[in-house]
Amino acid sequence: MTPRVESLTLVLCAAVFLLLALPHNRGRRLRDDALAALQAVVLRVEEDARTRTVRAPVPITIGRAPTATLVIPDAQVSRVHARIDLIDGMLAVRDLDSRNGTLVNARPIDGPVELREGDEIDVGMTRIVYCGVGSWK
């Protein structure tokens, strides 16, 4: 290839990458996303005989790995089991190809599922209840 063709190919690849990387604002308001980023996702984690409340920013990774945002010490939970993200302006959970799967409201999921207040996410023997978006305190 000539240097000019290589240069044009590189520019074209960069342009395609940027187009794919830009956020798609299909009807959602950026202000809502900014507000969600300033607030914490509130989760009630029910494991064994105890309950704890977790407040964390998105994205939230759920798993056994010490690097997970929400560490679940349960042998039935994969190291990186599931993830909560902001997708197209909605908060959603998805399974990360875990061995035992993820349930939302007692139903197995195979793609992103929008979360609503009160939804129950089951990973292994642990139940995580989505309590909404709130302050950090």
Side-chain angles (χ1 to χ4, degrees):
M1 256 193 239
T2 66
R4 183 174 180 172
V5 172
E6 287 179 355
S7 177
L8 287 172
T9 303
L10 182 62
V11 169
L12 179 62
C13 288
V16 169
F17 174 78
L18 287 174
L19 283 174
L20 293 174
L22 289 174
H24 301 283
N25 295 328
R26 298 179 203 137
R28 66 182 169 144
R29 298 183 317 182
L30 292 177
R31 194 181 107 214
D32 292 343
D33 290 346
L35 183 61
L38 293 174
Q39 294 185 340
V41 173
V42 182
L43 304 169
R44 187 176 70 240
V45 182
E46 302 169 359
E47 52 194 343
D48 297 326
R50 67 183 189 125
T51 300
R52 60 183 165 128
T53 300
V54 174
R55 297 170 190 278
V58 289
I60 299 170
T61 54
I62 302 167
R64 269 189 2 257
T67 55
T69 311
L70 177 54
V71 178
I72 307 290
D74 178 341
Q76 293 184 13
V77 174
S78 297
R79 291 182 52 72
V80 182
H81 195 101
R83 181 176 166 126
I84 298 174
D85 277 308
L86 196 59
I87 301 173
D88 290 335
M90 68 176 184
L91 204 58
V93 63
R94 63 186 164 102
D95 185 76
L96 297 176
D97 296 325
S98 65
R99 183 181 310 159
N100 294 317
T102 301
L103 306 175
V104 174
N105 298 324
R107 292 191 177 107
I109 62 172
D110 59 2
V113 173
E114 181 178 2
L115 288 175
R116 300 181 192 280
E117 247 180 84
D119 280 351
E120 298 176 351
I121 304 164
D122 292 315
V123 292
M125 299 301 292
T126 302
R127 173 163 292 153
I128 303 164
V129 180
Y130 170 59
C131 299
V133 177
S135 66
W136 285 99
K137 295 182 181 185

